[in-house]
């Protein structure tokens, strides 16, 4: 019996690796997203930050995040994801904590940009890491458990940050929340191995079976010489554009949801924290369900575009309601948030299944880089529209349009199996279905 089908071997990998992966990415997301609470809790007033500068500061992280994605993926694939993430954990914890002690907006600009640079390598490195440990039939769920660190963190971070801001102020919130990644770095170093061959908790037979299966999956892929050839692929280009527009919606939502809720009459920071967490409860459920059925059917595209359509419709409906129906609008925002998060696992399972290992990590990094630009645009433009118009309606339309474009681009990815197999690019298209 193939060891990969034995429950004990499957469980040993999932139970050993996924909690570590989940916590690591959770901590990255904590120190990325807690800026929204600082902005809503008096940071702008204390540092004399204008509304336009506040939007820029919220978005600057993603500009730094854009630059080092591909080098990070290359290092993780050819050197060590373990070393790269270890150093990143320590550096981003220090930078996040430093946010709490700044008294000058120019220093804050540098910190936010550098935080993005340090964290930029983490996502592609983790996706490369998972591709070394989990097979095609497991990959969407593995990616989902990684990215669950995003909504799950915002869920508890929203509550904890709300209490911290109320109890000790925004400065101590940043300092306290900068400590966990520094401590966690040493747990990461102790319990993680880059590849199955290095793991002393697997038997020799288990290592051989896993490596053999992963190598066998590579044999069915069309050879791609280098990053340049991969990056010119029409499929990769379309996925880059798709993720750009998708990220506009996601990070416009994440960065400004606390401010949207706080604007309601008689809304405290603690209540803002609790209400801000609700969309992420549904997001976790949606991500788990979508990834389960995506792996079960080995279909990726069908578990991406419908959710993006739902998110677009929910944002548009919030716009139509206007500011006088806060609670109905809030329910629609909850639906939009959950729908935007649900497809992450299936989406990031696409690249390792259509491109060989020598370039798939770089392609995922390129796509994630475009997502960073979309995140920058979403964070900045949503903040600008809110400030310029004095309401949230224009930003709802902007996010709805972005998600609709993303859904349309998703539908253009892939052709019928018969057509794809007869074309030179067939193997790049058929796997997405």
């Amino acid at each position: 019996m193939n060891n990969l089908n034995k429950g004990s071997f499957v469980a040993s990998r999932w139970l050993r690796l996924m909690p570590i992966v989940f916590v690591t990415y959770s901590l990255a997301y904590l120190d990325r997203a807690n800026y929204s609470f600082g902005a809503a809790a008096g940071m702008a007033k204390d540092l004399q930050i204008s509304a336009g500068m506040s939007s820029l500061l919220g978005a600057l992280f993603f500009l730094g995040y854009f630059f080092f994605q591909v080098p990070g993926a290359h290092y993780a694939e050819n050197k060590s994801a373990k070393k790269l993430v270890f150093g990143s954990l320590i550096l981003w914890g220090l930078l996040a904590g430093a946010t709490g002690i700044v008294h000058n907006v120019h220093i804050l600009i540098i910190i936010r940009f550098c935080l993005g640079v340090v964290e930029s390598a983490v996502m592609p490195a983790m996706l490369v890491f998972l591709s070394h440990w989990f097979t095609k039939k497991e990959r969407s769920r593995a990616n989902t458990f990684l990215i669950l660190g995003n909504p799950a963190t915002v869920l508890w971070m929203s509550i904890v940050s709300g209490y911290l801001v109320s109890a000790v102020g925004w400065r101590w919130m940043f300092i306290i929340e900068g400590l966990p990644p520094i401590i966690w770095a040493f747990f990461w170093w102790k319990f993680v191995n880059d590849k199955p061959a290095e793991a002393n908790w697997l038997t020799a037979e288990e290592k051989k079976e896993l490596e053999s299966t992963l190598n066998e999956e590579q044999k069915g892929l069309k050879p791609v010489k280098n990053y340049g050839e991969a990056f010119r692929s029409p499929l990769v280009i379309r996925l880059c554009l798709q993720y750009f527009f998708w990220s506009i919606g996601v990070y416009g939502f994440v960065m400004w949801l606390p401010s949207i809720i706080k604007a309601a009459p008689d809304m405290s920071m603690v209540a803002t924290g609790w209400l801000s967490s609700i969309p992420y409860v549904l997001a976790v459920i949606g991500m788990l369900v979508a990834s389960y059925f995506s792996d079960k059917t080995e279909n990726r595209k069908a578990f991406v575009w419908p959710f993006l359509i739902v998110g677009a419709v929910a944002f548009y409906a919030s716009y139509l309601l206007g500011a006088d129906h806060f609670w109905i609008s809030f329910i629609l925002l909850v639906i939009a948030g959950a729908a935007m998060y649900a497809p992450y696992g299936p989406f990031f399972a696409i690249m390792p299944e259509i491109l060989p290992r020598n370039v798939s990590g770089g392609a995922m990094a390129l796509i994630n880089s475009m997502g960073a630009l979309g995140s920058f645009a979403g964070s900045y433009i949503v903040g600008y529209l809110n400030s310029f118009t004095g309401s949230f309606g224009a930003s709802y339309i902007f996010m709805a349009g972005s998600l609709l474009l993303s859904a349309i681009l998703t539908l253009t990815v892939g052709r019928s199996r018969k057509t794809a197999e007869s074309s030179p690019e067939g193997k790049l298209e058929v796997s997405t279905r």
Side-chain angles (χ1 to χ4, degrees):
M1 180 180 182
N2 191 313
N3 271 322
L4 290 179
N5 296 322
K6 291 181 180 178
S8 59
F9 178 50
V10 173
S12 68
R13 285 180 295 129
W14 283 87
L15 293 177
R16 170 96 180 193
L17 298 175
M18 294 318 300
I20 299 170
V21 165
F22 174 82
V23 171
T24 302
Y25 194 62
S26 291
L27 293 174
Y29 211 78
L30 165 66
D31 290 323
R32 177 188 316 181
N34 60 4
Y35 177 82
S36 61
F37 272 85
M43 173 190 265
K45 180 180 179 181
D46 291 348
L47 297 181
Q48 299 181 329
I49 301 172
S50 67
M53 179 59 74
S54 183
S55 298
L56 179 61
L57 284 166
L60 264 176
F61 170 92
F62 301 106
L63 193 59
Y65 195 77
F66 170 76
F67 285 105
F68 292 94
Q69 295 270 321
V70 174
H74 181 77
Y75 185 90
E77 183 64 66
N78 295 282
K79 300 290 185 180
S80 172
K82 176 178 177 176
K83 292 178 181 177
L84 185 61
V85 174
F86 175 77
S88 297
L89 278 160
I90 293 174
L91 288 173
W92 92 57
L94 293 172
L95 288 165
T99 306
I101 63 175
V102 298
H103 292 272
N104 184 310
V105 69
H106 301 294
I107 301 299
L108 185 57
I109 288 172
I110 295 171
I111 288 175
R112 286 296 295 176
F113 180 80
C114 290
L115 185 64
V117 170
V118 170
E119 285 196 21
S120 66
V122 176
M123 178 69 164
M126 297 292 257
L127 290 169
V128 167
F129 173 79
L130 291 177
S131 72
H132 292 166
W133 280 95
F134 294 95
T135 66
K136 182 178 179 180
K137 291 183 180 294
E138 305 168 309
R139 200 163 287 136
S140 179
R141 282 168 292 161
N143 290 342
T144 291
F145 275 98
L146 164 66
I147 302 167
L148 272 177
N150 177 322
T153 299
V154 179
L155 194 164
W156 66 261
M157 182 273 293
S158 297
I159 298 170
V160 171
S161 295
Y163 278 108
L164 282 174
V165 164
S166 297
V168 297
W170 65 266
R171 290 188 179 278
W172 276 104
M173 178 200 73
F174 283 115
I175 293 169
I176 291 170
E177 292 180 351
L179 291 174
I182 298 172
I183 297 169
W184 183 253
F186 297 93
F187 287 91
W188 166 269
W189 186 260
K190 179 174 176 59
F191 291 108
V192 161
N193 304 103
D194 277 305
K195 296 179 181 178
E198 301 168 2
N200 58 16
W201 47 276
L202 294 178
T203 67
E205 185 182 3
E206 288 170 341
K207 295 176 186 179
K208 182 179 178 180
E209 290 283 1
L210 181 54
E211 293 281 8
S212 175
T213 300
L214 292 172
N215 290 334
E216 190 65 28
E217 291 175 357
Q218 293 290 303
K219 290 180 180 178
L221 300 179
K222 178 183 177 182
V224 179
K225 295 178 183 178
N226 50 41
Y227 285 159
E229 184 179 340
F231 294 173
R232 290 191 299 272
S233 160
L235 174 60
V236 173
I237 292 169
R238 287 198 295 273
L239 289 175
C240 284
L241 291 172
Q242 188 267 12
Y243 198 50
F244 172 84
F245 288 111
W246 179 2
S247 296
I248 284 177
V250 172
Y251 284 94
F253 176 84
V254 169
M255 294 302 294
W256 294 104
L257 180 64
S259 296
I260 291 170
I261 294 172
K262 185 68 171 62
D266 303 318
M267 188 67 66
S268 70
M269 277 306 301
V270 172
T272 296
W274 277 100
L275 290 175
S276 296
S277 72
I278 293 174
Y280 304 103
V281 176
L282 286 184
V284 169
I285 297 170
M287 290 175 74
L288 292 171
V289 172
S291 66
Y292 172 80
F293 285 104
S294 177
D295 275 348
K296 190 175 180 67
T297 62
E298 294 189 30
N299 191 327
R300 307 309 183 193
K301 188 173 74 172
F303 293 93
V304 178
W305 69 264
F307 288 104
L308 300 178
I309 292 287
V310 170
V313 170
F315 276 129
Y316 184 67
S318 293
Y319 160 76
L320 292 178
L321 282 171
D324 296 330
H325 301 85
F326 171 77
W327 289 108
I328 300 176
S329 181
F330 174 71
I331 291 170
L332 289 168
L333 290 177
V334 169
I335 293 170
M340 286 188 294
Y341 274 99
Y344 272 117
F347 179 77
F348 278 107
I350 292 173
M351 278 299 109
E353 296 173 7
I354 60 176
L355 290 176
R357 188 176 294 166
N358 65 308
V359 294
S360 63
M364 287 189 289
L366 181 67
I367 292 167
N368 207 40
S369 294
M370 293 304 295
L373 285 184
S375 302
F376 176 87
S379 301
Y380 182 73
I381 296 175
V382 167
Y384 174 80
L385 290 173
N386 293 343
S387 174
F388 181 77
T389 64
S391 70
F392 302 110
S395 61
Y396 291 159
I397 286 289
F398 175 62
M399 290 187 282
S402 297
L403 290 177
L404 180 61
L405 281 172
S406 182
I408 292 170
L409 284 164
T410 307
L411 286 168
T412 70
V413 173
R415 296 165 289 177
S416 70
R417 179 175 295 273
K418 182 177 180 181
T419 303
E421 286 176 347
S422 66
S423 73
E425 292 183 316
K427 291 185 173 63
L428 289 183
E429 299 286 354
V430 69
S431 297
T432 62
R433 292 220 297 278

